[in-house]
Amino acid sequence: MGSTITDKMVKGLKPAGATHIIYDTQVRGFGVRITSAGAVSFVLNYRVHGRERRFTIGRYPEISALVARQEALQLRAGIREGRDPLAERARARSVPTLDEFSEEYLRRHAEPEKRPISVRDDRRMLKAYILPRFGKLAVDAITRSDIEASVRHDLASTPVQANRVLALLHTMFHLCARWEYVGKDFSNPAHGIKRYHEEPRRRWVQEGELAEVLRLRTKSAQSWPLLPSPELA
């Protein structure tokens, strides 16, 4: 059974006792499905790697027939290149958000591998800078331009902090790929972003600090055993 799928046609569909699909006469595999309860959705049947698959594009009236047709055409173009829309959707749903992955990063890498002060700094940067901007996004949805915009604008007044945030993001994305939370085609979006120039930090030793340094130096010297003079050996 076939027909040209339009909004007018879809609007006039009535339940027929059992779920059935009406296929479009113009786009191969594109159809509209109506259940016995009257729920209507757009689907695309396709074959990839020898397997028959059915992809649900969306429900009517949340998307129109015209939009569903356009998406079906785009999906078919990807299928011709060997892509599998169902597999890609399943993978997308399994990729964690940066908020979710940050907990994994802290547990598996930061806490066992880094000094407590470094773990504290990581938590602070995550809370103050990274998660408010990117926490709700899937890891593979964050782009290089997203990061550059944040670093070059939001953190432009604190270049040293911007560099630390970049370094942390780079490490997190690297580990996300290494731990196979993303696909093999994933590219680290923090890689290659130019860091800010940092001036060497200089400051004078304060009087109290100098006294402490001398005290520790004297204590260290006293702890060494006295060696005989070479002349007496």
Side-chain angles (χ1 to χ4, degrees), residues 17-219:
T19 297
H20 66 285
I21 300 174
I22 302 170
Y23 288 100
D24 188 67
T25 55
Q26 299 178 28
V27 180
R28 185 162 57 91
F30 174 50
V32 58
R33 177 177 58 201
I34 180 168
T35 68
S36 58
V40 178
S41 57
F42 300 102
V43 299
L44 179 69
N45 284 12
Y46 65 97
R47 180 180 290 273
V48 65
H49 306 311
R51 300 176 62 193
E52 191 73 30
R53 311 277 268 165
R54 177 174 294 158
F55 183 87
T56 300
I57 297 172
R59 297 189 61 171
Y60 178 84
E62 295 174 6
I63 65 171
S64 67
L66 178 60
V67 171
R69 177 187 298 278
Q70 292 171 340
E71 184 165 344
L73 288 169
Q74 293 174 352
L75 289 169
R76 292 212 65 85
I79 292 165
R80 285 194 294 271
E81 297 174 355
R83 296 172 60 180
D84 184 346
L86 275 176
E88 291 181 358
R89 175 177 283 179
R91 192 193 75 181
R93 288 175 175 172
S94 68
V95 174
T97 64
L98 194 63
D99 195 354
E100 294 167 338
F101 182 72
S102 67
E103 294 300 321
E104 186 80 351
Y105 162 79
L106 291 168
R107 182 180 66 83
R108 290 182 62 179
H109 177 74
E111 291 174 353
E113 301 290 340
K114 303 177 78 172
R115 296 178 302 165
I117 190 172
S118 297
V119 177
R120 184 198 65 191
D121 288 343
D122 284 356
R123 290 185 181 277
R124 179 183 57 78
M125 286 188 287
L126 284 165
K127 182 178 180 180
Y129 302 105
I130 296 174
L131 296 184
R133 292 163 177 79
F134 308 117
K136 301 305 179 184
L137 296 176
V139 171
D140 62 354
I142 301 169
T143 66
R144 175 173 175 154
S145 60
D146 291 333
I147 298 173
E148 283 185 317
S150 178
V151 170
R152 296 298 168 194
H153 296 97
D154 301 344
L155 298 175
S157 60
T158 54
V160 174
Q161 186 65 72
N163 288 346
R164 302 300 177 271
V165 168
L166 271 176
L168 177 55
L169 281 170
H170 191 281
T171 298
M172 290 178 68
F173 287 126
H174 169 74
L175 291 173
C176 197
R178 178 176 154 190
W179 295 339
E180 299 182 344
Y181 281 99
V182 289
K184 294 181 179 179
D185 58 344
F186 175 77
S187 179
N188 190 326
H191 180 72
I193 297 179
K194 186 177 180 181
R195 270 44 171 181
Y196 286 99
H197 174 71
E198 295 185 29
E199 292 291 341
R201 297 179 62 183
R202 296 179 179 178
R203 71 180 184 88
W204 296 104
V205 178
Q206 302 299 312
E207 183 178 351
E209 295 173 328
L210 182 59
E212 180 65 11
V213 170
L214 291 173
R215 185 185 70 80
L216 291 174
R217 184 175 180 181
T218 302
K219 182 178 179 181

